[in-house]
Amino acid sequence: MSYQPPVREHLFLLKDVLEIEKLANLPGFADAPIDVVEQILEESAKFCAEVLAPLNRVGDKHGCVWNPDGSVTTPPGFKEAFRQFADAGWPSLSARPEYGGQGLPAVVALACEEMSSSANMAFSMYAGLTHGAYTAILAGGSDEQKNLYLPKLATAEWGGTMNLTEPQCGTDLGMIRTKAVPNGDGTYKISGEKIWISSGEHDLTPNIVHLVLARIEGAPAGTRGISLFVVPKFIPDADGKPGQRNSVKCTGLEEKMGIHANATCFISHEEATGWLIGEENRGLNLMFVMMNEERLGVGMQGLAQGEAAYQAAAQFARERLQGRSLTGPKNPDGPADPIIVHPDVRRMLMDSRAVLEGARAFMFWTALFGDLAHRDPDAAVRQKAEDYMALLTPVLKAFLTERGFGVTSAAMQVHGGSGFTEHFPASQYLRDARIAMIYEGTNGVQALDLVGRKLPANGGRGVMTFLGELDGFVAANGADAALTPFVEGLAAAKAQLQDATQWLMQNGFANPDNAGAASLDYLRLFGLTGLAYMWALMAKAANARIAAGDADPFYANKLAVGRYFLERVLPDAGACLAKLKAGAAAVMALPAEAF
Amino acid sequence: MSYQPPVREHLFLLKDVLEIEKLANLPGFADAPIDVVEQILEESAKFCAEVLAPLNRVGDKHGCVWNPDGSVTTPPGFKEAFRQFADAGWPSLSARPEYGGQGLPAVVALACEEMSSSANMAFSMYAGLTHGAYTAILAGGSDEQKNLYLPKLATAEWGGTMNLTEPQCGTDLGMIRTKAVPNGDGTYKISGEKIWISSGEHDLTPNIVHLVLARIEGAPAGTRGISLFVVPKFIPDADGKPGQRNSVKCTGLEEKMGIHANATCFISHEEATGWLIGEENRGLNLMFVMMNEERLGVGMQGLAQGEAAYQAAAQFARERLQGRSLTGPKNPDGPADPIIVHPDVRRMLMDSRAVLEGARAFMFWTALFGDLAHRDPDAAVRQKAEDYMALLTPVLKAFLTERGFGVTSAAMQVHGGSGFTEHFPASQYLRDARIAMIYEGTNGVQALDLVGRKLPANGGRGVMTFLGELDGFVAANGADAALTPFVEGLAAAKAQLQDATQWLMQNGFANPDNAGAASLDYLRLFGLTGLAYMWALMAKAANARIAAGDADPFYANKLAVGRYFLERVLPDAGACLAKLKAGAAAVMALPAEAF
């Protein structure tokens, strides 16, 4: 049995925890009553399990092949699967109806994205980046650009990419050298070398739309002189069809530890024709619209690879016979017990579940604010939703990828020696998942974004609202005896997060190195606190179902995993707090030459 | 600059912390005055840096090749390097002079093993397993067997292997099916299929000596019916030279995530001729002599891969220019600052050093007890040394491999996107290091060995002696103001370890699942406490050098890294304690079918 999409978990979150049925007054949600959502998820699950998952190992083995003419051949089966994927409408779930999309809530699309990412991360990146390009053009393109590109990108008829990195600059985009020279007709000649361009060239779509950061001749130095351009591989003709070949070329593929089936390209622009998107020198702002969406998607990849790896490990643990239970044989007629009887194997599986189920709730709960930010008529709701999206994006990106990678490593450990071989899927999940901690801004960059930008934004309004919401939950549910350990766990975590936040305010401004040295442990503490809140929300929802007479063991199991989270995962919060409050002195004590 | 062996660190440990010069009264140590040791380490460092390290990437790329005739070709350069390695005497440093060895202390050989493992883990495994086979035959072989095999194995003229695993049994060796049928002349026909045999077939030596676990016809079921046999690839002739080809054959190689240059073999015994080593049905005891030595070696691999990865990360961080320091430009004339100015990058490098330097001290300190167990004339010293070796072997194996893997992952993170590509060494270190958490008994098996066997052995004598030693250090050094944070940190960690040990005694016997569920967090707490002791010992030694007027910044830097350990690594101990004391209930709450 290979990967099985966790639709039951998705429906629990959407129905019982987030109660999206109560949002039927909002645009998009009206079109998604829960039975329709359920149908969508079941169809998506079927497609991901039957079409995408079987191609995952094929993709890892074959990888993409660069051809001397600059074309790239994706692994066998990818092209056909991508056509099916696009024809079925999966890329366009949440895109706007006026551009060929289906207008559904982002939180529903997200559930489908989790499945496709679990089933085949490298495959799903082609569509993920395409949707990111859609978002950036939607945010900053002219009407003409929107009408030309958005319908193609919304449906993944064409592919999309993000051309940022150059050999001398990754995180530090102010160092970009790619240049743009006006042609005098509104177009520009784009010249420069880009590296690490995911999905940068492939055979899945008849055209690829590159969004390229470049510096217009004479622009100010640094990040204030960077503009965003659209550089289509084939310049659309008058009918909007792929026309003349543009001088943008893939000059090779990067060899990397994982995601072999996603083409990571060296892209050379040789006086390629580009069109400015938005204003001159304001390219980074637009690119960050795309980047922020991708960051949430990358957090989802951490969760998704963890989920797929956990499933493989659980299956192995139920089937592999080795040793006997410490409390007496559980499979007395067999030569040994399945290894799932061993407490340390259980510990790894329960660790994984406690993290994954909490992480999924955190991701869905946050994504719903993304919908509210766009769709809610109440300006106060929209503001809170925007604050939360800004605040939580770096937390989700870094915390879920770090913990998700940990889950893939635990899954390998459950497999024992088999896990290290390439005959079982554990190695690929681990190798694929590892990139998510790095790209779209390393986790350290996310942590710095959190403490340096997101916390102080609007006088700390976002974090204050969040901490207040946790207090509100604790106050409202403190008397609920069935919820006591969850409320107590949340209250303790919230107190630690508040303590850390105050420490940062008092010490981070005086010495920025204190903020930098604290940043990742602060982010981890934030993530753990977020998960404690999610587990409290899930426990409350599960209790409600049980109280209503629902005998599905799903709910009792949910509470059991939640208890595990409180007892066995949340204690890390105290260590994060102790570490970050130690300050920067020991971190920065050595001279650089001592390393 | 590639890997540079940390000889300065080794000498600090041997001279200032372990003071091996004071042991000159013991056999072996008399032949190793510190200037001789220094020469040996410098020579080893030169060989590892110049010969073995350059072959590491070659080995990863090429891997080993299985040929249809059952032979295996190692990567280009390996054969020549192995000959140089053996001719220079590196494999025989600590072997006994009567068998062609040099009789040096194991702790000195260990320093050289760290270097070769850092330089080229896959290469060093060929010699490592050979030394393991030497140890098992030394422990249990007849005089004839010793005289025949030990000189060949001590010098790595021939290779050695350990044939344990079969498809249906890894950890649970009682399920072994390979059978041994007496030929009536003292030899046996060995038949069965073995898998995952490291160094099982190769072209580095003219003969390979397999140590094979098999069941003699009619032997009792389970672990009490397993015997150990020597099955040479070529049966030695009357002159002790490789003679008739034995019917033991490599039928293929395992495809795996890392250590590509070490041949992981499927080995088929088809009525191969084998000779019993030691007594019938007592094979596991002898195999565990070999296994325990290998477990320490695997702990060393965790440290060694971490060290090599840390060095690559530190070099990258000093050279890669990206962004500016939070406290103002540090490289104002350059386009950006080196990323080592960023506190979160420092945090990763300091985390790595605090773990690696502590781990190396713990490994060396323990290995010295291995020497004392064999060489000290005082029976009480020998008993304590044996107790410590037994107690600490699982701790070193699991803690150092888990933390070492963490260091390789941090090193990849420091590299950013470059780290995920195969153009930088981070990926190979991570992929190679990961196996060390699995083989020679998974880390979970180590944890169970610790709490189930090693703790209760001899009424807890080993752990009581260890805890008493920590108390003794705290009492003796409590008044030393220069050592206060180290003494306080150690005292706090020791109190937590003692608390956990008592909890285990009270709760583990009543419900063995409590012991199993606590085991890995207990082992981690043990490892952290061990490192706290090591840092206290190192700080004391560094203070002594500083007080004696030594102005080498090495000592001040050592104290700075130690402070980092106390502030930023040791807080994990509290989380381990909280988790393990939560007991087994939440770990075992779900029915197996709920996974």
Side-chain angles (χ1 to χ4, degrees), chain B residues 379-423:
Chain B
V381 172
R382 291 201 307 274
Q383 182 185 80
K384 176 187 160 182
E386 278 167 18
D387 284 352
Y388 274 21
M389 286 296 282
L391 180 70
L392 299 176
T393 293
V395 177
L396 286 167
K397 193 281 183 184
F399 188 71
L400 267 58
T401 59
E402 181 172 278
R403 289 280 182 169
F405 177 69
V407 170
T408 66
S409 186
M412 178 173 282
Q413 198 66 18
V414 169
H415 279 84
S418 301
F420 196 66
T421 75
E422 298 289 353
H423 300 293

Side-chain angles (χ1 to χ4, degrees), chain A residues 170 254 318 322 353 423 594-595, chain B residues 170 254 318 322 353 594-595:
Chain A
E254 187 65 81
R318 285 193 310 264
Q322 205 77 178
R353 285 191 51 168
H423 300 293
F595 288 90
Chain B
E254 188 65 80
R318 285 193 310 265
Q322 205 77 179
R353 292 212 17 191
F595 287 90

Side-chain angles (χ1 to χ4, degrees), chain A residues 235-499:
Chain A
I235 297 171
D237 64 17
D239 300 327
K241 301 230 174 333
Q244 189 195 337
R245 182 68 163 89
N246 208 344
S247 49
V248 50
K249 190 174 167 186
C250 173
T251 56
L253 297 180
E254 187 65 81
E255 191 187 349
K256 53 202 195 298
M257 188 170 79
I259 52 169
H260 295 158
N262 192 272
T264 305
C265 301
F266 298 90
I267 296 280
S268 176
H269 297 269
E270 296 169 4
E271 302 198 336
T273 305
W275 285 260
L276 182 69
I277 303 185
E279 296 173 46
E280 283 186 16
N281 302 332
R282 303 278 296 167
L284 274 190
N285 301 48
L286 274 181
M287 190 52 96
F288 269 93
V289 172
M290 177 165 182
M291 184 86 93
N292 278 327
E293 176 173 307
E294 298 299 331
R295 285 178 173 178
L296 281 179
V298 171
M300 177 58 93
Q301 290 178 333
L303 163 62
Q305 295 309 293
E307 171 68 29
Y310 159 77
Q311 288 192 18
Q315 183 186 350
F316 186 88
R318 285 193 310 264
E319 295 175 359
R320 172 75 169 168
L321 304 181
Q322 205 77 178
R324 291 293 184 189
S325 164
L326 298 172
T327 55
K330 300 292 178 284
N331 176 33
D333 299 333
D337 290 341
I339 63 170
I340 202 166
V341 304
H342 302 308
D344 192 63
V345 171
R346 283 291 176 103
R347 181 191 59 74
M348 293 188 275
L349 296 174
M350 290 293 284
D351 261 351
S352 302
R353 285 191 51 168
V355 165
L356 294 172
E357 294 175 22
R360 182 180 294 112
F362 202 16
M363 179 61 85
F364 279 45
W365 181 83
T366 305
L368 186 57
F369 284 105
D371 280 315
L372 297 179
H374 293 117
R375 302 175 197 253
D376 203 282
D378 183 340
V381 172
R382 290 201 307 275
Q383 181 185 78
K384 175 185 162 184
E386 279 166 17
D387 284 352
Y388 275 20
M389 286 296 282
L391 180 70
L392 298 177
T393 292
V395 177
L396 286 167
K397 193 280 183 185
F399 188 72
L400 268 58
T401 59
E402 182 171 278
R403 288 280 182 170
F405 177 69
V407 170
T408 65
S409 186
M412 178 173 281
Q413 199 66 18
V414 169
H415 279 84
S418 302
F420 196 67
T421 76
E422 297 289 353
H423 300 293
F424 287 80
S427 166
Q428 186 184 355
Y429 291 134
L430 184 150
R431 289 183 289 101
D432 285 358
R434 186 60 184 80
I435 187 59
M437 293 170 65
I438 297 173
Y439 61 12
E440 307 301 345
T442 64
N443 285 0
V445 168
Q446 304 300 322
L448 204 57
D449 179 49
L450 176 64
V451 303
R453 288 201 200 95
K454 301 305 175 56
L455 273 194
N458 304 304
R461 190 176 66 201
V463 69
M464 293 307 167
T465 306
F466 183 74
L467 292 171
E469 179 168 347
L470 304 189
D471 283 338
F473 183 91
V474 168
N477 296 280
D480 182 349
L483 220 52
T484 300
F486 293 94
V487 169
E488 287 176 355
L490 174 59
K494 184 259 166 187
Q496 290 175 314
L497 181 60
Q498 181 145 352
D499 186 356

Side-chain angles (χ1 to χ4, degrees), chain B residues 10-41 104-111 364-369 371-372 375-376:
Chain B
H10 293 166
L11 288 173
F12 170 66
L13 291 175
L14 296 173
K15 280 166 73 168
D16 297 318
V17 180
L18 301 180
E19 300 181 303
I20 62 167
E21 287 169 286
K22 293 186 179 169
L23 300 171
N25 59 317
L26 299 184
F29 285 89
D31 304 323
I34 199 72
D35 56 329
V36 170
V37 169
E38 189 165 347
Q39 276 184 349
I40 292 171
L41 299 188
L104 289 168
V107 70
V108 174
L110 193 79
F364 279 45
W365 181 83
T366 305
L368 186 57
F369 284 106
D371 281 315
L372 297 179
R375 302 176 197 252
D376 202 282

Side-chain angles (χ1 to χ4, degrees), chain B residues 114-452:
Chain B
E114 183 199 323
M115 300 181 204
S116 59
S117 185
S118 283
N120 197 322
M121 174 169 161
F123 178 95
S124 70
M125 290 171 66
Y126 292 101
L129 286 153
T130 300
H131 195 267
Y134 162 91
T135 306
I137 294 178
L138 182 68
S142 65
D143 284 345
E144 195 185 353
Q145 289 168 337
K146 289 184 192 174
N147 289 327
L148 176 57
Y149 290 110
L150 294 185
K152 309 286 194 190
L153 294 169
T155 56
E157 182 180 337
W158 292 357
T161 81
M162 190 158 70
N163 278 225
L164 284 75
T165 306
E166 301 179 6
Q168 79 288 354
C169 71
T171 298
D172 189 354
L173 292 171
M175 293 166 79
I176 277 180
R177 289 186 196 144
T178 295
K179 64 178 181 183
V181 179
N183 287 323
D185 62 353
T187 67
Y188 292 78
K189 282 193 182 67
I190 311 290
S191 300
E193 305 297 322
K194 297 287 185 178
I195 64 172
W196 302 347
I197 309 306
S198 296
S199 315
E201 177 57 48
H202 55 75
D203 54 5
L204 303 179
T205 55
N207 203 3
I208 297 173
V209 179
H210 300 288
L211 294 189
V212 184
L213 288 182
R215 192 179 292 287
I216 296 173
E217 273 194 323
T223 54
R224 288 181 195 152
I226 295 176
S227 303
L228 184 66
F229 298 87
V230 56
V231 179
K233 176 178 167 187
F234 292 98
I235 297 172
D237 63 19
D239 300 328
K241 300 229 174 329
Q244 190 195 337
R245 182 69 164 87
N246 207 344
S247 49
V248 50
K249 190 173 166 186
C250 173
T251 56
L253 296 181
E254 188 65 80
E255 192 187 350
K256 52 203 195 298
M257 189 169 80
I259 52 168
H260 295 157
N262 192 272
T264 304
C265 300
F266 298 91
I267 296 281
S268 176
H269 297 269
E270 296 169 5
E271 302 198 336
T273 304
W275 285 261
L276 182 69
I277 304 186
E279 297 174 44
E280 284 186 13
N281 301 331
R282 303 278 295 166
L284 274 190
N285 301 49
L286 274 181
M287 190 54 96
F288 268 93
V289 171
M290 177 164 181
M291 184 86 94
N292 278 327
E293 175 172 309
E294 298 299 331
R295 285 178 173 177
L296 281 179
V298 171
M300 177 57 93
Q301 290 178 334
L303 163 62
Q305 295 310 291
E307 170 69 29
Y310 158 76
Q311 288 192 17
Q315 183 186 350
F316 186 88
R318 285 193 310 265
E319 293 175 0
R320 172 75 170 169
L321 303 181
Q322 205 77 179
R324 291 292 184 189
S325 166
L326 297 172
T327 54
K330 299 294 178 283
N331 176 33
D333 299 333
D337 289 341
I339 63 171
I340 202 165
V341 303
H342 302 308
D344 192 62
V345 171
R346 282 293 176 104
R347 181 191 59 75
M348 293 188 275
L349 296 175
M350 290 293 283
D351 261 351
S352 302
R353 292 212 17 191
V355 164
L356 294 172
E357 294 176 21
R360 181 179 294 111
F362 202 16
M363 179 60 85
F364 279 45
W365 181 83
T366 305
L368 186 57
F369 284 106
D371 281 315
L372 297 179
H374 293 115
R375 302 176 197 252
D376 202 282
D378 182 339
V381 172
R382 291 201 307 274
Q383 182 185 80
K384 176 187 160 182
E386 278 167 18
D387 284 352
Y388 274 21
M389 286 296 282
L391 180 70
L392 299 176
T393 293
V395 177
L396 286 167
K397 193 281 183 184
F399 188 71
L400 267 58
T401 59
E402 181 172 278
R403 289 280 182 169
F405 177 69
V407 170
T408 66
S409 186
M412 178 173 282
Q413 198 66 18
V414 169
H415 279 84
S418 301
F420 196 66
T421 75
E422 298 289 353
H423 300 293
F424 286 80
S427 166
Q428 185 184 356
Y429 291 134
L430 185 150
R431 289 185 288 102
D432 285 357
R434 186 61 183 79
I435 187 59
M437 293 169 65
I438 297 173
Y439 61 14
E440 308 299 345
T442 65
N443 285 0
V445 168
Q446 304 301 322
L448 206 56
D449 179 49
L450 176 64
V451 303

Side-chain angles (χ1 to χ4, degrees), chain B residues 474-485:
Chain B
V474 169
N477 296 280
D480 182 348
L483 219 52
T484 300

